[in-house]
Amino acid sequence: MSHAWYKLGIMTDGLQVATPAGASELAVRTEARRAAQTAGRSAAQRSALGQFFTPAPIASLLAGMFDPPVGPARVLDPGAGVGSLAAALVDRAVVEEWGGGLDVTAVEVDGDLVGALTETLRECAQVSSSITARVVSADFVEWACQRLEGGLFAPYDGGFDLAILNPPYQKLATSSAVRRMLSGAGIEVTNLYAAFVALALGLLNPGGQLVAITPRSFCNGPYFRAFRRELLKDSALRRVHLFEARDKAFRDTGVLQENVVVHLVKGAPQAAVTISTSLGSGEEDVHEERVPFSRVVRPDDPDAFIRIVSGDPAVAAATRIAGLECSLPGTGAAVSTGRVVDFRVRQHLRESVTGGTVPLLYPHHLRAGRVRLEGPRRKKPAALAVNSTTRRMLLPAGNYVLVKRFSSKEERRRIVAAVLEIGDLGFAEVAVENHVNVFHRDGTGLPLDLAWGIAAYLNTTVVDTFFRQFNGHTQVNATDLRSLNYPTMGQLETLGAAAKETEHTQAAIDALFDRYVPASGEDQ
């Protein structure tokens, strides 16, 4: 039997990357089961359980991130699917001749997958006499919560030493039974993938290792703040792997989610972190580097954003932003989400701007750095009626910076900012929809040069490069914008005075930023 699945790359710190060339018989058969299950299920069926089965190269990438255990290791594979991750880990243990053996527990809720999973684990056990494996047909959240609740790991003795997982991705409603069950176990999360990671960590022995591929969304934003804090408090972040292309890792399922792989060690002291990147399919060359943990999670960051800084441009951007002197309040500005949630005020929406209404601004009104009402008609209302219900949602006419909360796939930048000047709309008030963030001063407009300066700064390549280090999706929250460092108010006003007279191109904006906001240590 061939075990040439792993191509051991010229890597440091133990990270190994697999390619399909010379795949083992176990890997080939497991991948065939995965492909069959993927092809045999509709997108709706997979979505109902948040299922995205792990392709063999990605499974091998995850298996390659563990430090080899000393002695026998109990392995947990929650949401195991057809067993791709367990098989990849067994393959690695056999290739590298891990002496202690593996005892695998694979938990899967989908009864239609249990047969394929059982067959994969049976083949895993046949590869070596040191491999044992079992299937637990159960809901992992319920199964894990029961064990954590009593501090027990029955029916098996002790906890786990290795956890490898590609958890389901599914939002959790506050009122859901799963959310209540998790709360009872002391876990507060908003998505099922975070619940799986938290539970798996809870089931690990001290010193146990966890490797998981998840959406990158947990790295920033308020919804995952508690999860990040607990994660970093209870474990050491050893490795992070980022896929540069969103459509490669799970290409045969049509997933466009930006994914990240993390390697955590429970209860270990935090040291430097290995950051690695590849295109996305798991079959390419991998670039990696060791960085201080303080570059990944800033010691002074109360939100504990996880910033993935890799490569010279990213390091340069992080260094440049770190050298800026102000937080947002220091600039004299604040940022909030637009006050109008359109589906909640349907009866107050109007098709055109007439008497008794004000313009209602949506993301499509932000074009080429300005706010423009004219242009192609969209299937959105144009105005909001002014009355006692909507009055609190309005802003007085003024100079504002508007930022799209969601950037489209056609846009090169994650942050798309535009200036609304006081006379642009010809109305005494304006309404801003909830998919737009607004920079203001105490709920009113900003000085004109400051508004232009903030917009120019946010539209720079430096900010875009830096923002991508902690934001793994197309959403731009007000919290993200508050977390940035900013130039001083004087620098922003000088930048803005020049920007409002300059052609709105990327090269021009970047040149103005370099001129009026010099890097730390440079003379202006």
Side-chain angles (χ1 to χ4, degrees):
M1 181 183 295
S2 170
H3 293 294
W5 176 260
Y6 286 91
K7 177 182 178 182
L8 304 184
I10 47 173
M11 313 292 290
T12 62
D13 203 39
L15 180 62
Q16 299 175 332
V17 179
T19 65
S24 73
E25 293 177 18
L26 172 61
V28 170
R29 288 194 294 267
T30 303
E31 178 65 1
R33 293 188 190 100
R34 184 201 70 87
Q37 290 293 336
T38 298
R41 289 169 178 247
S42 67
Q45 286 175 305
R46 293 196 304 268
S47 179
L49 290 173
Q51 290 175 331
F52 302 102
F53 301 129
T54 315
I58 300 297
S60 293
L61 175 68
L62 268 65
M65 293 187 79
F66 289 99
D67 297 324
V70 178
R74 296 192 64 237
V75 178
L76 175 65
D77 182 356
V82 302
S84 299
L85 293 174
L89 191 58
V90 167
D91 250 354
R92 181 186 171 192
V94 172
V95 168
E96 297 183 3
E97 298 181 347
W98 292 359
L102 299 179
D103 178 49
V104 180
T105 298
V107 185
E108 177 54 53
V109 68
D110 188 347
D112 292 338
L113 294 175
V114 169
L117 175 59
T118 300
E119 186 65 15
T120 297
L121 295 190
R122 183 186 66 79
E123 293 180 358
C124 286
Q126 290 177 340
V127 168
S128 169
S129 60
S130 66
I131 308 296
T132 57
R134 63 182 61 83
V135 175
V136 176
S137 182
D139 180 305
F140 175 67
V141 172
E142 183 177 355
W143 183 83
C145 284
Q146 289 173 350
R147 280 146 186 79
L148 291 173
E149 201 171 75
L152 302 174
F153 298 95
Y156 317 114
D157 295 330
F160 293 92
D161 304 298
L162 307 176
I164 185 168
L165 56 158
N166 171 15
Y169 177 83
Q170 200 171 67
K171 291 182 179 179
L172 296 175
T174 305
S175 59
S176 68
V178 173
R179 191 78 175 267
R180 292 195 298 271
M181 190 186 310
L182 290 166
S183 294
I187 296 172
E188 298 295 340
V189 291
T190 59
N191 200 292
L192 197 54
Y193 80 80
F196 268 56
V197 172
L199 290 168
L201 270 175
L203 293 171
L204 285 178
N205 292 318
Q209 303 175 64
L210 179 145
V211 173
I213 182 169
T214 73
R216 193 179 167 188
S217 53
F218 78 90
C219 292
N220 71 300
Y223 298 123
F224 291 96
R225 183 186 295 115
F227 173 70
R228 287 192 299 273
R229 288 173 174 170
E230 289 300 311
L231 197 75
L232 298 170
K233 182 185 76 173
D234 295 339
S235 59
L237 183 62
R238 287 283 176 82
R239 301 181 181 92
V240 180
H241 184 86
L242 179 65
F243 301 104
E244 295 173 355
R246 291 192 302 161
D247 59 349
K248 301 295 184 184
F250 298 92
R251 57 183 179 270
D252 57 358
T253 59
V255 176
L256 291 179
Q257 176 69 52
E258 192 162 351
N259 298 290
V260 66
V261 182
V262 294
H263 174 209
L264 302 163
V265 182
K266 184 174 180 177
Q270 184 63 62
V273 182
T274 298
I275 304 292
S276 58
T277 57
S278 65
L279 180 61
S281 70
E283 300 171 346
E284 314 85 8
D285 292 336
V286 173
H287 168 79
E288 73 164 26
E289 57 186 307
R290 295 276 286 174
V291 302
F293 179 69
S294 59
R295 188 191 291 179
V296 180
V297 180
R298 294 195 319 222
D300 60 346
D301 183 4
D303 293 307
F305 281 10
I306 297 174
R307 305 167 192 270
I308 305 173
V309 184
S310 179
D312 293 342
V315 172
T319 302
R320 185 75 184 278
I321 297 296
L324 299 178
E325 299 179 18
C326 275
S327 62
L328 182 59
T331 70
V335 63
S336 307
T337 304
R339 300 172 183 175
V340 179
V341 181
D342 56 5
F343 69 86
R344 293 179 180 169
V345 291
R346 286 192 181 97
Q347 67 272 33
H348 306 294
L349 302 178
R350 301 292 183 265
E351 292 299 317
S352 59
V353 184
T354 58
T357 69
V358 297
L360 177 56
L361 301 180
Y362 281 89
H364 66 263
H365 291 122
L366 280 62
R367 298 195 298 278
R370 297 301 303 271
V371 176
R372 306 178 189 278
L373 294 182
E374 72 279 2
R377 183 170 177 79
R378 304 294 181 106
K379 294 181 179 179
K380 293 289 185 181
L384 182 71
V386 179
N387 53 48
S388 58
T389 300
T390 63
R391 173 65 63 186
R392 61 183 176 80
M393 304 176 189
L394 307 183
L395 290 171
N399 305 308
Y400 298 97
V401 179
L402 305 188
V403 176
K404 294 183 181 181
R405 283 187 60 203
F406 296 90
S407 56
S408 69
K409 62 183 180 181
E410 293 84 10
E411 288 166 327
R412 293 183 297 106
R413 291 195 309 269
R414 288 285 176 83
I415 299 179
V416 178
V419 175
L420 173 65
E421 293 191 4
I422 190 168
D424 282 349
L425 304 181
F427 285 78
E429 294 171 305
V430 65
V432 180
E433 199 269 335
N434 191 248
H435 287 82
V436 179
N437 294 307
V438 185
F439 283 79
H440 57 89
R441 177 175 288 177
D442 297 325
T444 62
L446 299 165
L448 183 59
D449 287 348
L450 179 62
W452 273 97
I454 291 173
Y457 169 65
L458 294 175
N459 285 330
T460 60
T461 299
V462 168
V463 169
D464 181 71
T465 302
F466 178 75
F467 190 75
R468 292 171 187 270
Q469 295 170 13
F470 63 86
N471 185 295
H473 46 83
T474 58
Q475 184 169 350
V476 179
N477 295 307
T479 301
D480 301 331
L481 297 170
R482 293 188 197 104
S483 76
L484 292 172
N485 287 358
Y486 287 80
T488 65
M489 185 189 303
Q491 288 174 325
L492 287 170
E493 289 176 336
T494 302
L495 173 63
K500 70 183 181 183
E501 305 296 336
T502 303
E503 183 182 7
H504 191 86
T505 65
Q506 193 64 61
I509 292 170
D510 291 341
L512 289 177
F513 179 67
D514 289 339
R515 178 178 179 182
Y516 294 110
V517 187
S520 180
E522 294 181 5
D523 294 328
Q524 187 165 348

